[in-house]
Amino acid sequence: MQEDTARVRDALPGQISVSPDNPCPFLRALVAGGFVDGHSVPLKTIGDRVEAASGETGLKKRIVGIETFGVALIANGFSPLRLLKSLWSGADLDQLRNGPLDKHGGGSRILDAEAKVHPDEIDRFASFGSDHADPNGGTERGLNAAQIQTFMKANLKRDGDKARWYFPILMQGEWPVLLNILGKGEGDGRYLSVAEVRTLFVERRFPQRIAARLMAKPKPASVIWRIGKAVVSAVVLAGVAVLLAWIAAPDAVSDRLSAMLPKKVAAFIPPALPEAEPTKAAYWLDQGWTTKDRHWFHHVTQGTATFPIPYNWFMAMEQPYLSPFGTPGLISDSAYLERFGFIPSPKSVDGDPSALRPFGYAANATAKTDIAPSLPAGLKPTPAGNEGGLPVGFARLSGAADPATGAAQSDKIGLTCAACHAGSIHYKGVSVRFDGGPGMVDLRKLEEAMGFAMIFTQYVPGRFTRFADRVLGPNASDADRDALKKGLKAATDFALNMQAKNYQKAIEAKGQTETEEGFGRLDALNRIGNQVFYLDMAVSGLPNMLGNQEAIDAPVSYPPIWTVPWFSWAQYDGSIAQPLIRNAGEALGVFAQINFSPETASDKLWRSSMAIENLLHIEDMLRGPDPFATTTPAFGGLTSPKWPEKLFAGDDAWKVDQTRVERGRKLYATVCVECHLGPVADPVFDKTYPDKSFWKIKPADDWESKGWNAKGPILDLVQKPVDAMQTDPGQASILATRKVKVAGFLEVDPAKDLKGCNLPQGSTTEMPYALALMAVVQKASDKWMEDRKLSPAEQAALWGDRKNCPNPAGKSYRARPLNGVWATAPYLHNGSVPSLYWMLTPAAERPTSFCQGARDFDPKHVGFDVPKGGETACKVGQSLFAVKDSSGKPIKGNSTLGHSFEGPAKPNKDYPNGIIGGAFSEEERWDLIEYLKTL
């Protein structure tokens, strides 16, 4: 054997010296006895020696070798280069100290960090044993399996804070393995001899029976065994390699595996997230709100419990990563949640202004106090704090009660309006933020990450203990910990079975497939329907509601909400006229609790956790005062964000070319104003084109040509039939075609519940989803007011003058004013066009694929810089929007067609369906883009 002067020269006669950096007593004996070299030993050789020592035969012997192979592979380290070296040249037995399997002198402490044996620790080991009958006669001291487990637990307790979470795993690969190999006796009577342990540690010698096994010439394995072993070894090695790679680079590996594996298999892989964009400066744009109003909007509860766990569980749960040599961060860490697209937010805005600057807060020049009037009936919005330091869009729901029983509930964690309606763009390290704009979040990834975090908390060693310590405190009783574990299991089962599994079961039964939402998109209408008409009803104990679910297959870009309170119809498809119904329906869709239970008294039906007082206040903040109440009409609630040219004063890409603006204004007056109306804040346009001024247009008889309603400041938006626009029909089709079942005892009757709509009588147990949702939200809102004993006059004040009736226009999309349009990429209702540049090109020329999530804004094209051919390869964790799947089949909800400018201009505007104007020249396109930046 090769000698090494670096080794300790303490070898016994006939032995080879062993390096102190080999901390494994079994391997030390193998080296000392000359059974393996003490330097680099091929992994197969180590596996063969342990197989021989085990005395096993057949398949059990092969399994021992495969397990040993995997352990030896990682013994020197997890890094890719180290793993390759181990595979190529073997494990370095004299370099195991401080490796993944070294406890640094912890555990039994028989062998210390300098490879010195402590006989007193062997005596301690013996104290955990008892006398056992030696199969060769007589009795001797030894430890059986149960006594070894007690010994290991005592070691962990003695190590205290120095014990790492993985020590129990390492121990299971040490003493129990020694029992299997060196033990005497059979079954429950098998024990590990203290005398033989002493010999192994002190003299580095195996018992004669083990040495005989190691020296025996192995019988050649059959060809079948050799092939089988090779195949199994390859599979195990591949699995170990993937696991180790996932530990080292989880998002990259998850991203790659998700792309390669079938969808059902990929569902077992935690979601990949993009790296957070480095931010050197942040700015919230001035939109007329005070800092306090803005922060309140960001964190005020809607009464929702979006996640199936309490607030303190959410704050204590670790991220779904494996971290062998440390602990993962918490899922509530803002930096982690920002990778889902959320915007960081301070705990409070009452402190030192300089502390708020990194979050983008500064003095607002146009901010007005009291932009929202006092609520009727003495109602007051609830305070909103962010003591947990969560990003924009997260709220703590305190003081909630079970809607069915009235029992007090622990604080919940939910999403706010701002989760989806607070936008941001990123450009060269600068984050520009604005309220009311489309969020860039991916809620599906967050849902999946939460599910994996809950599973990991239960099953990854050490993780539940840390979770329980955070939730209950380190001195909590075993009974409290058991109750917490049962509660976590129940919540996990609910998320996996009641939600995810039953959803898949329902859509597969209908032959449906879902469309990926990705960053910046959500199929809100189908999600609300699934929540209210399946999950809420199933939770309330109503059977046979599974079929009420539909596939999430019509995702849309989060719509901007500035100016919306003044619109006659909200949503892209103009489906809702009543503001309270719009907001309360959204709250139910993100898991406000509601009681549909047949087991409760009738006067408790329809109770919910909705915070309608907050929803009303938000609506008032968005709306602001009557825009016609001043000499120069203007919106005074949440105003649309202005092109941030001043933030990038030294960058020509952000500089507005006024010559192009002039030409673009003329194009806007000629082409865009027909549907999108005049600009809301361009005095030059109003003076130049007074007949087209936004503030002077009057409604016409033709429903396609609207204006300010004569009865009050309500804007009747232009609505265009889906067939005429030829944009993706997915969203408009949901309310037109989806149907749901409703239990008869709930007495949902749209013809009666939707007052003043003059609807024909229909079924009260199976009905169009649109009418059912409007009726359900109406009844829940009525119940909220009834429970607060509001008078008819007070209720009427809360409802206002606008009726809760369906839109008579049918399947259509409404066109909104284009104020702030620069901040709303990607375009079209389904977020299928990456920039204004591509929006103004013929539909057939638009990119059919592009990446979303953690990417820079392009101020030239206004949106994302995507080539004509599209993008097919995304950075890790980004979502790929695509028109077609890998087989070339169109993806439902993802059409980029319609609203097209192509062909020759026609003075009579008699264009085919899908075309709304003649093609722009390249110069005209840039001119119009320049003007749109200023709106």
Side-chain angles (χ1 to χ4, degrees):
M1 292 288 180
Q2 182 180 357
E3 293 292 338
D4 186 345
T5 56
R7 294 193 185 168
V8 177
R9 298 298 180 179
D10 63 348
L12 296 175
Q15 284 190 344
I16 296 169
S17 58
V18 184
S19 168
D21 289 327
N22 179 345
C24 174
F26 191 88
L27 290 176
R28 291 173 67 80
L30 283 177
V31 173
F35 299 108
V36 297
D37 182 42
H39 295 281
S40 293
V41 183
L43 304 183
K44 183 178 182 301
T45 300
I46 296 176
D48 290 343
R49 295 296 181 268
V50 177
E51 280 185 8
S54 71
E56 299 286 3
T57 59
L59 179 60
K60 289 184 177 180
K61 180 178 180 180
R62 307 307 175 197
I63 291 175
V64 168
I66 292 169
E67 291 175 341
T68 304
F69 186 100
V71 172
L73 173 66
I74 66 172
N76 292 116
F78 285 110
S79 73
L81 289 177
R82 180 63 257 184
L83 293 173
L84 287 174
K85 183 177 180 181
S86 296
L87 286 171
W88 182 260
S89 59
D92 293 327
L93 300 190
D94 52 6
Q95 295 182 23
L96 298 179
R97 182 68 66 189
N98 297 321
L101 307 183
D102 183 18
K103 296 195 299 298
H104 309 281
S108 71
R109 302 185 187 177
I110 296 175
L111 192 71
D112 65 18
E114 297 179 352
K116 180 181 178 181
V117 177
H118 294 267
D120 57 323
E121 293 293 346
I122 299 179
D123 294 337
R124 176 177 173 272
F125 170 73
S127 70
F128 286 86
S130 58
D131 291 336
H132 294 266
D134 188 337
N136 299 319
T139 59
E140 63 176 336
R141 195 71 171 176
L143 280 73
N144 61 22
Q147 292 165 335
I148 284 176
Q149 293 296 328
T150 301
F151 170 65
M152 293 191 299
K153 289 180 180 178
N155 293 340
L156 285 172
K157 185 175 182 179
R158 181 174 63 170
D159 286 341
D161 293 339
K162 294 181 179 179
R164 307 302 293 271
W165 69 266
Y166 54 87
F167 278 16
I169 302 174
L170 296 184
M171 289 178 174
Q172 294 300 328
E174 296 170 351
W175 292 103
V177 172
L178 280 179
L179 175 63
N180 288 337
I181 296 177
L182 302 185
K184 297 179 178 179
E186 301 295 334
D188 294 339
R190 191 173 180 83
Y191 69 96
L192 187 60
S193 167
V194 173
E196 291 184 348
V197 166
R198 193 183 304 275
T199 300
L200 179 68
F201 275 89
V202 176
E203 301 180 17
R204 298 187 290 282
R205 296 186 190 276
F206 293 116
Q208 184 56 41
R209 66 185 183 281
I210 305 300
R213 293 174 190 167
L214 290 167
M215 290 186 290
K217 187 176 181 179
K219 295 179 181 179
S222 68
V223 173
I224 294 177
W225 270 116
R226 289 201 297 272
I227 294 174
K229 182 178 179 180
V231 170
V232 174
S233 297
V235 171
V236 171
L237 179 59
V240 171
V242 169
L243 176 62
L244 296 178
W246 189 79
I247 291 173
D251 292 293
V253 173
S254 292
D255 192 74
R256 185 61 180 161
L257 289 177
S258 296
M260 294 170 52
L261 297 173
K263 189 173 182 179
K264 286 189 176 182
V265 178
F268 293 95
I269 300 171
L273 300 177
E275 287 298 321
E277 297 167 294
T279 300
K280 62 184 181 184
Y283 303 92
W284 281 99
L285 298 181
D286 189 348
Q287 295 175 263
W289 279 0
T290 66
T291 295
K292 287 188 176 182
D293 283 336
R294 174 167 262 159
H295 196 256
W296 181 85
F297 171 70
H298 291 170
H299 297 289
V300 70
T301 182
Q302 304 180 78
T304 58
T306 310
F307 305 103
I309 55 175
Y311 175 86
N312 62 336
W313 293 16
F314 180 84
M315 299 301 295
M317 194 165 287
E318 292 173 2
Q319 299 163 16
Y321 295 124
L322 296 179
S323 183
F325 307 110
T327 59
L330 298 178
I331 203 166
S332 57
D333 289 347
S334 182
Y336 176 69
L337 293 172
E338 289 164 35
R339 297 175 66 192
F340 295 92
F342 293 99
I343 302 170
S345 182
K347 294 182 178 181
S348 170
V349 292
D350 292 329
D352 183 356
S354 64
L356 302 180
R357 196 69 198 86
F359 293 95
Y361 283 96
N364 292 2
T366 65
K368 301 178 181 66
T369 58
D370 301 324
I371 57 174
S374 299
L375 295 173
L379 295 172
K380 293 184 181 300
T382 63
N386 186 33
E387 62 275 10
L390 296 171
V392 171
F394 287 82
R396 182 174 188 167
L397 172 60
S398 301
D402 186 306
T405 66
Q409 295 179 316
S410 56
D411 288 0
K412 307 290 185 181
I413 176 76
L415 294 181
T416 73
C417 296
C420 302
H421 298 293
S424 68
I425 61 172
H426 200 272
Y427 179 78
K428 294 183 179 180
V430 176
S431 175
V432 181
R433 302 160 183 179
F434 38 88
D435 281 309
M440 286 292 123
V441 298
D442 189 330
L443 294 185
R444 173 56 66 87
K445 279 185 185 285
L446 180 58
E447 292 167 349
E448 292 172 347
M450 280 298 305
F452 279 101
M454 292 162 71
I455 294 170
F456 280 24
T457 301
Q458 293 179 78
Y459 298 112
V460 173
R463 192 163 295 199
F464 178 79
T465 299
R466 296 193 297 272
F467 171 72
D469 286 347
R470 296 185 189 106
V471 173
L472 303 173
N475 299 320
S477 66
D478 290 342
D480 287 342
R481 289 174 181 268
D482 287 343
L484 178 63
K485 182 173 288 187
K486 290 178 181 177
L488 178 59
K489 184 179 186 306
T492 306
D493 290 344
F494 174 83
L496 295 182
N497 297 316
M498 183 73 83
Q499 291 179 300
K501 183 178 178 181
N502 284 353
Y503 165 70
Q504 289 297 331
K505 182 179 178 181
I507 67 172
E508 287 174 6
K510 295 182 177 183
Q512 298 174 342
T513 57
E514 67 177 12
T515 299
E516 181 182 4
E517 294 164 313
F519 285 93
R521 299 204 309 165
L522 192 78
D523 184 357
L525 283 180
N526 272 326
R527 279 176 171 265
I528 291 172
N530 292 348
Q531 173 68 27
V532 173
F533 293 102
Y534 162 65
L535 196 60
D536 287 337
M537 291 186 172
V539 168
S540 293
L542 301 185
N544 306 319
M545 292 295 152
L546 195 66
N548 273 347
Q549 296 188 92
E550 294 285 330
I552 294 168
D553 59 7
V556 298
S557 174
Y558 300 107
I561 58 174
W562 49 74
T563 325
V564 167
W566 301 105
F567 296 169
S568 55
W569 298 99
Q571 309 293 5
Y572 287 113
D573 57 355
S575 56
I576 304 177
Q578 222 299 321
L580 178 54
I581 293 295
R582 164 175 25 100
N583 297 330
E586 182 268 333
L588 288 176
V590 286
F591 309 163
Q593 301 172 94
I594 187 170
N595 178 32
F596 293 131
S597 175
E599 302 299 324
T600 55
S602 59
D603 64 342
K604 293 183 179 179
L605 281 175
W606 303 105
R607 280 185 176 166
S608 72
S609 63
M610 290 190 298
I612 287 183
E613 66 272 51
N614 293 338
L615 298 175
L616 291 166
H617 190 69
I618 290 171
E619 185 72 11
D620 287 340
M621 286 175 57
L622 292 171
R623 182 189 297 112
D626 184 340
F628 289 98
T630 56
T631 304
T632 301
F635 292 117
L638 179 70
T639 58
S640 54
K642 297 301 182 183
W643 180 257
E645 180 180 4
K646 293 181 180 179
L647 294 182
F648 304 99
D651 192 330
D652 289 342
W654 289 88
K655 187 176 181 180
V656 175
D657 185 334
Q658 292 300 327
T659 301
R660 284 196 180 276
V661 168
E662 288 295 330
R663 295 197 297 262
R665 181 181 286 115
K666 183 176 181 180
L667 284 169
Y668 186 97
T670 304
V671 180
C672 307
V673 75
E674 177 186 357
C675 294
H676 293 288
L677 308 180
V680 305
D682 181 3
V684 176
F685 183 97
D686 293 342
K687 182 178 180 180
T688 309
Y689 308 101
D691 59 322
K692 298 178 180 180
S693 169
F694 179 81
W695 300 104
K696 295 181 180 179
I697 52 175
K698 298 297 180 183
D701 294 333
D702 181 1
W703 70 268
E704 291 188 1
S705 180
K706 295 291 185 177
W708 285 103
N709 193 303
K711 295 181 180 179
I714 299 296
L715 185 64
D716 292 324
L717 295 175
V718 174
Q719 300 175 78
K720 292 288 188 180
V722 173
D723 290 341
M725 294 304 294
Q726 290 292 293
T727 49
D728 192 282
Q731 208 236 9
S733 298
I734 295 172
L735 295 182
T737 60
R738 183 173 176 177
K739 296 186 180 298
V740 294
K741 292 193 308 181
V742 182
F745 79 94
L746 291 173
E747 298 181 347
V748 175
D749 185 354
K752 182 177 67 175
D753 298 328
L754 306 183
K755 301 176 179 63
C757 299
N758 299 319
L759 297 176
Q761 184 65 51
S763 172
T764 56
T765 57
E766 185 170 353
M767 62 195 71
Y769 164 49
L771 297 180
L773 182 61
M774 295 167 75
V776 163
V777 179
Q778 177 84 46
K779 293 172 80 73
S781 301
D782 285 340
K783 182 61 177 174
W784 187 92
M785 297 181 193
E786 175 191 314
D787 284 348
R788 283 151 185 79
K789 297 180 171 52
L790 303 184
S791 69
E794 290 170 332
Q795 294 187 38
L798 294 180
W799 282 111
D801 297 330
R802 301 167 72 173
K803 295 180 181 179
N804 179 24
C805 295
N807 192 336
K811 289 175 61 175
S812 62
Y813 289 126
R814 59 109 173 101
R816 63 161 292 150
L818 295 181
N819 50 321
V821 67
W822 68 268
T824 62
Y827 297 97
L828 289 183
H829 71 276
N830 61 342
S832 61
V833 182
S835 68
L836 281 179
Y837 178 86
W838 289 118
M839 191 68 235
L840 300 177
T841 59
E845 297 179 15
R846 295 167 183 162
T848 56
S849 59
F850 63 93
C851 303
Q852 273 278 64
R855 67 178 300 166
D856 260 12
F857 184 81
D858 173 24
K860 179 180 179 181
H861 295 86
V862 186
F864 304 126
D865 183 12
V866 177
K868 183 175 181 179
E871 298 170 329
T872 56
C874 297
K875 294 180 181 178
V876 170
Q878 289 182 331
S879 55
L880 177 68
F881 169 88
V883 173
K884 297 180 179 180
D885 63 20
S886 57
S887 69
K889 181 181 178 181
I891 298 175
K892 189 174 181 181
N894 281 10
S895 172
T896 62
L897 302 179
H899 196 284
S900 183
F901 299 94
E902 56 185 272
K906 296 185 177 183
N908 61 358
K909 300 183 179 180
D910 183 22
Y911 295 104
N913 287 345
I915 300 176
I916 61 172
F920 294 112
S921 69
E922 190 73 359
E923 285 301 306
E924 287 175 329
R925 190 177 294 118
W926 291 120
D927 290 343
L928 185 52
I929 289 172
E930 204 72 4
Y931 181 65
L932 293 175
K933 292 177 183 178
T934 68
L935 299 185

